[in-house]
Amino acid sequence: EAGVAQSPRYKIIEKRQSVAFWCNPISGHATLYWYQQILGQGPKLLIQFQNNGVVDDSQLPKDRFSAERLKGVDSTLKIQPAKLEDSAVYLCASSSLFSGGPYEQYFGPGTRLTVT
Amino acid sequence: AQTVTQSQPEMSVQEAETVTLSCTYDTSESDYYLFWYKQPPSRQMILVIRQEAYKQQNATENRFSVNFQKAAKSFSLKISDSQLGDAAMYFCAYRSSYSGGGADGLTFGKGTHLIIQP
């Protein structure tokens, strides 16, 4: 079974530029999460999708961050415009009620964003 | 809101020895799930072990076991017979059972960097 795929693995941009990250969850997983992990901290949930609907985006800075999961499969997270404090690793995870342990989330390798 | 605290930024242990990583959490809920995740330098988060709060028995997975103290809101991870491959960041995480509308994102601690000395 293929794992969660993310691209790119690394991205360097200047502040005020825009950037997009892509995530393809494990096949059949209805739930998809985006987390932000700032250096030296644990991941923080940004947004959760159930199929193509948003379940929780309470911690998403909506003035600059947006995310979509149009067909209920892969997802894109966008930052526009980026700030220095957005430098972090962006992790995507997926889960299913029907595979793995109860409520287990499977994580991708992450995208490391550096904003200069 | 729930919080998770890991008070040990870094721990070091000799290979083959036993090490315990600490985690405390704050919640007003009575039912929830607790997890330990491992994050090696490759950044891929890997689930190590999970504990359901309604279960009194501590979870075990091979060399990994937990000491779950619900009243004290403590959830420590014990790694027995430490191996070089255990070196990584370890994160404690909390998931509520009372997820309104299906929201079940994890709340993580800041992590403990585990070093294995050969």
Side-chain angles (χ1 to χ4, degrees):
Chain A
E1 177 179 76
V4 176
Q6 290 188 247
S7 67
R9 291 296 308 277
Y10 303 89
K11 189 73 176 179
I12 301 174
I13 62 172
E14 296 182 351
K15 60 184 179 184
R16 291 186 290 272
Q17 287 187 325
S18 63
V19 65
F21 313 126
W22 175 82
C23 172
N24 194 327
I26 293 173
S27 177
H29 281 198
T31 309
L32 185 147
Y33 313 80
W34 283 102
Y35 290 86
Q36 180 193 56
Q37 185 178 16
I38 293 173
L39 185 64
Q41 298 183 21
K44 182 185 81 170
L45 179 70
L46 292 177
I47 190 167
Q48 176 186 346
F49 291 95
Q50 181 75 21
N51 296 308
N52 60 351
V54 175
V55 174
D56 182 4
D57 63 356
S58 58
Q59 299 188 92
L60 186 73
K62 299 180 185 64
D63 58 333
R64 297 182 301 105
F65 286 66
S66 64
E68 60 183 14
R69 194 185 184 199
L70 293 175
K71 296 182 179 179
V73 181
D74 56 354
S75 175
T76 302
L77 176 70
K78 297 179 181 177
I79 307 175
Q80 182 179 11
K83 292 185 176 181
L84 295 176
E85 58 261 37
D86 298 332
S87 294
V89 174
Y90 291 84
L91 296 168
C92 180
S94 69
S95 71
S96 168
L97 290 177
F98 307 108
S99 66
Y103 309 110
E104 179 172 350
Q105 294 184 21
Y106 297 82
F107 285 81
T111 296
R112 180 180 296 279
L113 174 67
T114 302
V115 182
T116 62
Chain B
Q2 294 78 27
T3 59
V4 177
T5 302
Q6 295 180 249
S7 58
Q8 305 155 314
E10 186 172 279
M11 292 283 286
S12 182
V13 64
Q14 291 288 127
E15 194 176 2
E17 296 292 307
T18 295
V19 64
T20 299
L21 308 184
S22 301
C23 172
T24 59
Y25 56 94
D26 187 29
T27 183
S28 58
E29 299 172 343
S30 60
D31 198 16
Y32 45 86
Y33 300 87
L34 295 166
F35 306 84
W36 278 99
Y37 277 88
K38 171 185 178 181
Q39 187 178 43
S42 67
R43 302 198 301 263
Q44 190 101 28
M45 282 278 197
I46 302 165
L47 179 64
V48 175
I49 198 166
R50 74 169 65 83
Q51 175 79 42
E52 292 88 343
Y54 63 84
K55 291 185 177 179
Q56 292 188 334
Q57 187 172 7
N58 289 323
T60 62
E61 287 286 344
N62 301 313
R63 298 182 295 108
F64 299 87
S65 62
V66 299
N67 184 2
F68 174 49
Q69 301 289 329
K70 190 173 185 179
K73 296 180 182 176
S74 171
F75 182 60
S76 61
L77 174 69
K78 186 172 82 171
I79 306 174
S80 304
D81 185 25
S82 297
Q83 300 176 1
L84 294 177
D86 295 333
M89 286 292 293
Y90 285 81
F91 291 94
C92 179
Y94 174 103
R95 180 202 175 276
S96 173
S97 287
Y98 305 109
S99 51
D104 61 357
L106 299 171
T107 299
F108 286 88
K110 287 189 174 183
T112 297
H113 181 209
L114 179 63
I115 299 168
I116 311 295
Q117 305 277 7

